[in-house]
Amino acid sequence: MSQEVPKELRILVRSVLDLLGQCIHQEYGKSCFKTVERVRTDYKKSRSSTLAAKVKLNNKLLKQFRQLSQEERFDVTHSFATSLELINACENAFVLIS
């Protein structure tokens, strides 16, 4: 039930996320940026995984998040949530102009 995402939307999202990545790196540092990227790529890879594999990934990430300070957890989760908001904004804008 996977639907092909239009090339223009993929380019828009990639550009926006690249800019966000630069902001994360500048504001929160390299460590936060790397953590956000790792979480993003782990979840992207798990899209076609089984439920058991997804649960295993969530548990692995939970362990890793517990090792971070409260401030680091906030920075990572804020960055990740912002990326999802930007993706949604891009999708909405794309639908409006299509």
Side-chain angles (χ1 to χ4, degrees):
M1 191 159 153
S2 179
Q3 195 174 359
E4 183 66 27
V5 177
K7 180 180 179 181
E8 296 86 356
L9 178 56
R10 286 194 316 267
I11 292 169
L12 175 62
V13 168
R14 170 55 54 203
S15 297
V16 169
L17 292 181
D18 285 346
L19 289 171
L20 177 63
Q22 292 172 25
C23 292
I24 292 168
H25 195 274
Q26 182 178 2
E27 291 297 316
Y28 298 132
K30 186 177 182 177
S31 178
C32 179
F33 173 78
K34 283 183 164 187
T35 301
V36 171
E37 274 300 295
R38 184 176 33 79
V39 170
R40 184 187 68 76
T41 57
D42 283 353
Y43 275 127
K44 186 174 179 179
K45 289 176 190 175
S46 76
R47 285 181 188 159
S48 60
S49 298
T50 64
L51 179 59
K54 290 176 183 177
V55 168
K56 185 176 179 179
L57 172 61
N58 284 335
N59 287 332
K60 178 187 98 169
L61 292 173
L62 179 60
K63 270 186 185 177
Q64 292 172 357
F65 271 60
R66 285 184 173 152
Q67 295 174 355
L68 301 175
S69 71
Q70 186 174 356
E71 181 180 358
E72 289 169 322
R73 283 194 301 267
F74 176 83
D75 294 347
V76 169
T77 55
H78 182 257
S79 298
F80 193 74
T82 301
S83 71
L84 296 176
E85 289 289 332
L86 287 171
I87 292 167
N88 286 335
C90 289
E91 291 172 346
N92 290 333
F94 187 80
V95 168
L96 289 175
I97 61 172
S98 295

